[in-house]
Amino acid sequence: MSTIPKSVCVYCGSRDGNAAAFADAAVETGEMLVRNDWRLVYGAGDVGLMGKVANAVQSAGGKTFGVIPTHLLDWEVGKRDLDSFVITETMHERKKVMFMNADAVVVLPGGAGSLDEFFEALTWRQLGLHEKPIILMNVDGFWDPLCDLMQHVVDSGFAGENILSFVSIAEDVSELETMLKEAL
């Protein structure tokens, strides 16, 4: 009987962004997951940083679990050659399936979708629905404005200081790997 390896949900852009460091971090993250025998859980796209992480995992012989809603199969080029490929009806179902099949959350650079996924995981943690680690991969300071915003929310009295402790910041893949090893 085979056991499911620890799984890391990676939220990231369906675009590449405009800095080579973003793509490099996506590839390095995928390779790091395989090096540690951790399964990738992600949005099942074959475009942008999503595709780069998944292709890096597959190239290194790792396991993949992708989840995509029907309306994004064409737009995000659903990557059907994954170890597990789940199609959902809605974005909400996609996020739930991804999250429920992961032991940790990593957020690489991305846009509104990545922010949505991050904030839902953070909100669920704030509400006591889970204790999974949430790590922002702060490639070249990409998430600095988000960190400032979270501090602003706390300073303005809309969240307790504890919300900041629910999120860890990794500056590079080596630091990310160390954090995940400690958490998993």
Side-chain angles (χ1 to χ4, degrees):
M1 181 156 102
S2 66
T3 59
I4 296 173
K6 293 290 185 179
S7 297
V8 177
C9 181
V10 176
Y11 298 137
C12 59
S14 61
R15 297 181 181 195
D16 288 329
N18 58 12
F22 302 152
D24 292 345
V27 170
E28 290 173 28
T29 297
E31 293 168 347
M32 178 272 298
L33 293 175
V34 176
R35 194 168 50 245
N36 288 281
D37 195 30
W38 295 325
R39 178 179 68 166
L40 169 66
V41 175
Y42 86 115
D46 200 15
V47 294
L49 298 186
M50 280 197 301
K52 287 182 174 39
V53 173
N55 286 316
V57 168
Q58 288 179 312
S59 292
K63 298 289 183 200
T64 53
F65 184 102
V67 185
I68 194 164
T70 55
H71 67 278
L72 289 180
L73 278 168
D74 292 333
W75 189 357
E76 291 185 351
V77 189
K79 191 164 174 45
R80 297 174 187 266
D81 63 343
L82 303 170
D83 294 300
S84 296
F85 182 74
V86 177
I87 300 172
T88 63
E89 289 297 315
T90 68
M91 290 293 288
H92 182 72
E93 287 176 301
R94 176 197 213 183
K95 291 184 292 183
K96 181 179 178 185
V97 172
M98 288 169 62
F99 185 81
M100 297 305 291
N101 282 281
D103 299 295
V105 171
V106 171
V107 188
L108 294 174
S114 301
L115 287 166
D116 175 52
E117 293 162 333
F118 165 73
F119 277 114
E120 187 158 59
L122 177 60
T123 300
W124 290 347
R125 176 76 188 261
Q126 181 184 20
L127 296 173
L129 300 177
H130 75 88
E131 293 186 6
K132 296 176 184 181
I134 303 169
I135 305 170
L136 289 173
M137 182 65 184
N138 198 26
V139 180
D140 286 350
F142 181 83
W143 292 119
D144 287 349
L146 176 60
C147 295
D148 292 343
L149 174 62
M150 289 175 26
Q151 184 65 58
H152 174 71
V153 168
V154 170
D155 293 345
S156 299
F158 288 101
E161 190 77 28
N162 65 332
I163 199 169
L164 301 175
S165 68
F166 298 152
V167 179
S168 299
I169 312 298
E171 300 297 335
D172 57 36
V173 175
S174 176
E175 189 174 6
L176 173 62
E177 183 173 19
T178 299
M179 289 176 173
L180 286 170
K181 282 181 177 179
E182 291 172 2
L184 300 175

